[in-house]
Amino acid sequence: MGMWASLDAMWEMPAEKRIFGAVLLFSWTVYLWETFLAQRQRRIYKTTTHVPLELGQIMDSETFEKSRLYQLDKSTFSFWSGLYSEIEGTLILLFGGIPYLWRLSGRFCGYAGFGPEYEITQSLVFLLLATLFSASTGLPWSLYNTFVIEEKHGFNQQTLGFFMKDAIKKFVVTQCILLPVSSLLLYIIKIGGDYFFIYAWLFTLVVSLVLVTIYADYIAPLFDKFTPLPEGKLKQEIEVMAKSIDFPLTKVYVVEGSKRSSHSNAYFYGFFKNKRIVLFDTLLEEYSVLNRDIQEESGMEPRSDGEGDSEEIKAKVKSKKQGCKNEEVLAVLGHELGHWKLGHTVKNIIISQMNSFLCFFLFAVLIGRKELFAAFGFYDSQPTLIGLLIIFQFIFSPYNEVLSFCLTVLSRRFEFQADAFAKKLGKAKDLYSALIKLNKDNLGFPVSDWLFSMWHYSHPPLLERLQALKSSKQD
């Protein structure tokens, strides 16, 4: 009876109070759901202390324990940073942080001689202050993650000076993109008339395509060093494989990821007939800085005759080595190129743009509702930027959660398909060993709670991928 009475009372509240209450309630519901899932997975980390039987051939007990402890530390960090983030967001909403920041932006504009009629200028100041606040509150967490957790488990390669310089550079580059794009978007919404949502969507489509095109050539090199892969057997084999599936490859780069972290990766980018492949140096066994360090520590210099090194040292170096052999790198690229050949990249772009159009259309429907603004403390004005923030971040949050889950399920399906494509190229055996090595190098924990992995994993669990590859490997 009491519950129904409280529900009745809620419906008797003004619309803005109901909206505000629903937003807060949903935010905490999602947080508690995520925490529940994380605790299920944490229980797996705590109780699975020995290598399960089915993993005996895949992972040695030392790597398994290192991986377990790494994931436990990450899980603890994730719990506290998630709790802080949820409390911070709640306090900002309860104490009117958004309208306060908007008024503060207005005061700064006033000092510079811009009145309330300069809404776009005020919006840019608001964005600058909001991103500055976000960067400042996120910095201690990022420092702890990098210099305590990643450092403890042997992944961090950064100095504090490099980290801070990198953070400042990221902030400046973000502002250089965010502020002009936002001002143009707000201007289009202002002058677009009844069909502004179509123009706004087209503008964001063009911006995203331009950013994808220029990112690797002009933005990424500001942070990492890209060098062409030297002529040799690996480059030749990559070019042959690309040609065999009609992938229009123009360049292959190696990025110096080891300067930042010993985690490894590979990707391709570019439109139409101008595709490039990027390999992290940590992915390549012969490039890995870690391997050179291990050789130096063991006093083992690479020799052309292979003599003079004890079998014990060779075994030790081999077990600690990071990265993949050339055949395994080709298998990983076979998987990545599978995403292109099977149209996964295009499908993701289409889904993203359909979603973007739908969101702008619904924004156009809702932007005139004054109670939405009133719910977040805007009683006298309805700034366009604040409307975008309220509708896209808060009102759409249930839809965003459902969409995110659906995209995670689709991503896992795409990963299996890309693995199957690599099989067809005759790379099953090498992809099998590459996945094991990459899991070891990145200290991935191969045992997962079914509900946690279903909700979070964009890639299928390691065992499932290996089982799918095994049949053809045996064939």
Side-chain angles (χ1 to χ4, degrees):
M1 187 73 184
M3 186 183 80
W4 294 117
S6 60
L7 280 173
D8 285 342
M10 187 176 169
W11 282 111
E12 284 167 15
M13 287 179 183
E16 60 265 26
K17 297 278 187 195
R18 292 203 304 273
I19 292 165
F20 184 80
V23 164
L24 265 186
L25 180 65
F26 185 76
S27 176
W28 276 94
T29 302
V30 169
Y31 169 75
L32 291 172
W33 166 246
E34 297 273 6
T35 305
F36 165 70
L37 292 178
Q39 289 306 113
R40 286 176 63 103
Q41 182 63 19
R42 188 174 172 80
R43 199 176 302 126
I44 298 277
Y45 298 144
K46 281 189 163 181
T47 56
T48 317
T49 53
H50 299 288
V51 184
L53 201 61
E54 65 270 29
L55 290 166
Q57 300 299 310
I58 295 165
M59 216 170 180
D60 61 88
S61 54
E62 186 191 354
T63 306
F64 186 83
E65 183 62 10
K66 277 183 184 174
S67 161
R68 189 180 77 84
L69 295 174
Y70 176 52
Q71 298 299 336
L72 260 177
D73 282 352
K74 279 175 67 179
S75 166
T76 305
F77 174 79
S78 182
F79 170 77
W80 290 111
S81 62
L83 179 62
Y84 168 79
S85 182
E86 188 62 25
I87 290 171
E88 180 192 271
T90 301
L91 291 175
I92 286 169
L93 289 179
L94 287 174
F95 292 99
I98 298 171
Y100 170 77
L101 200 62
W102 181 257
R103 289 193 301 271
L104 187 64
S105 307
R107 283 210 291 276
F108 282 133
C109 288
Y111 298 147
F114 295 101
E117 67 276 14
Y118 289 91
E119 191 192 300
I120 292 177
T121 307
Q122 188 173 345
S123 299
L124 297 184
V125 175
F126 176 88
L127 273 176
L128 181 62
L129 293 175
T131 49
L132 193 60
F133 173 79
S134 178
S136 304
T137 56
L139 185 63
W141 295 100
S142 187
L143 282 166
Y144 185 87
N145 184 48
T146 304
F147 292 100
V148 177
I149 296 174
E150 296 293 299
E151 183 82 34
K152 177 182 172 184
H153 295 279
F155 288 114
N156 177 46
Q157 305 294 325
Q158 303 177 70
T159 61
L160 183 60
F162 177 88
F163 177 91
M164 293 308 294
K165 185 179 159 191
D166 210 43
I168 292 164
K169 212 189 290 182
K170 273 179 193 165
F171 184 81
V172 171
V173 170
T174 301
Q175 300 311 312
C176 289
I177 297 167
L178 178 68
L179 299 182
V181 168
S182 300
S183 60
L184 281 169
L185 177 62
L186 293 171
Y187 182 70
I188 288 166
I189 292 171
K190 289 279 183 198
I191 64 159
D194 291 343
Y195 298 103
F196 78 82
F197 61 93
I198 297 174
Y199 310 131
W201 167 68
L202 286 171
F203 173 70
T204 55
L205 169 62
V206 170
V207 167
S208 60
L209 293 178
V210 168
L211 285 176
V212 166
T213 307
I214 68 167
Y215 174 77
D217 287 327
Y218 300 102
I219 300 171
L222 295 171
F223 301 96
D224 294 302
K225 186 181 174 186
F226 286 72
T227 50
L229 181 69
E231 295 297 328
K233 194 180 175 191
L234 178 61
K235 188 179 180 185
Q236 198 178 347
E237 288 179 330
I238 289 171
E239 287 169 348
V240 167
M241 183 170 68
K243 198 172 182 183
S244 73
I245 61 164
D246 302 319
F247 181 77
L249 178 65
T250 53
K251 287 178 183 173
V252 185
Y253 291 110
V254 177
V255 60
E256 198 183 344
S258 56
K259 184 175 70 169
R260 191 179 301 280
S261 166
S262 55
H263 288 296
S264 48
N265 200 0
Y267 63 91
F268 70 86
Y269 70 96
F271 284 111
F272 310 116
K273 300 290 179 188
N274 188 26
K275 298 275 194 290
R276 290 98 183 276
I277 286 173
V278 177
L279 307 168
F280 278 54
D281 58 349
T282 46
L283 178 70
L284 309 172
E285 195 177 89
E286 59 193 71
Y287 274 79
S288 178
V289 175
L290 181 73
N291 295 345
R292 292 201 292 272
D293 292 344
I294 290 167
Q295 284 181 331
E296 284 167 15
E297 280 172 25
S298 63
M300 174 182 166
E301 291 299 321
R303 293 176 49 149
S304 56
D305 57 7
E307 293 175 8
D309 300 320
S310 77
E311 291 303 314
E312 189 185 335
I313 290 176
K314 281 183 182 175
K316 186 181 174 186
V317 169
K318 191 180 176 188
S319 72
K320 281 190 174 182
K321 259 191 172 183
Q322 183 192 34
C324 297
K325 290 186 286 192
N326 286 0
E327 299 80 14
E328 293 163 339
V329 172
L330 282 168
V332 170
L333 282 180
H335 166 95
E336 291 301 326
L337 296 184
H339 285 305
W340 170 79
K341 190 70 175 177
L342 299 167
H344 296 165
T345 312
V346 173
K347 286 170 188 169
N348 280 329
I349 290 170
I350 290 168
I351 291 167
S352 167
Q353 291 310 317
M354 284 171 64
N355 173 58
S356 178
F357 181 81
L358 175 66
C359 288
F360 274 116
F361 172 73
L362 292 173
F363 171 76
V365 172
L366 296 170
I367 189 68
R369 307 294 293 267
K370 289 187 177 181
E371 60 268 32
L372 286 178
F373 289 90
F376 294 88
F378 289 84
Y379 300 100
D380 305 318
S381 62
Q382 288 85 40
T384 306
L385 177 71
I386 301 301
L388 283 165
L389 175 72
I390 290 169
I391 293 166
F392 277 76
Q393 188 173 335
F394 299 122
I395 306 304
F396 287 171
S397 52
Y399 164 73
N400 290 336
E401 286 296 323
V402 173
L403 178 69
S404 174
F405 174 69
C406 292
L407 290 176
T408 301
V409 172
L410 183 66
S411 172
R412 282 200 297 271
R413 184 188 171 99
F414 283 171
E415 291 302 320
F416 276 127
Q417 289 175 359
D419 282 352
F421 183 84
K423 272 189 203 176
K424 285 181 184 173
L425 294 177
K427 308 285 183 191
K429 181 172 173 286
D430 292 322
L431 185 58
Y432 188 94
S433 57
L435 288 174
I436 292 168
K437 277 189 182 178
L438 290 173
N439 187 75
K440 179 186 172 185
D441 289 349
N442 293 292
L443 289 184
F445 195 69
V447 186
S448 52
D449 173 73
W450 71 272
L451 197 55
F452 180 87
S453 65
M454 183 184 76
W455 187 259
H456 281 293
Y457 286 5
S458 60
H459 287 56
L462 178 67
L463 264 181
E464 289 181 28
R465 292 180 75 179
L466 294 181
Q467 280 159 3
L469 283 166
K470 212 170 187 178
S471 55
S472 75
K473 192 183 153 195
Q474 288 166 345
D475 297 343

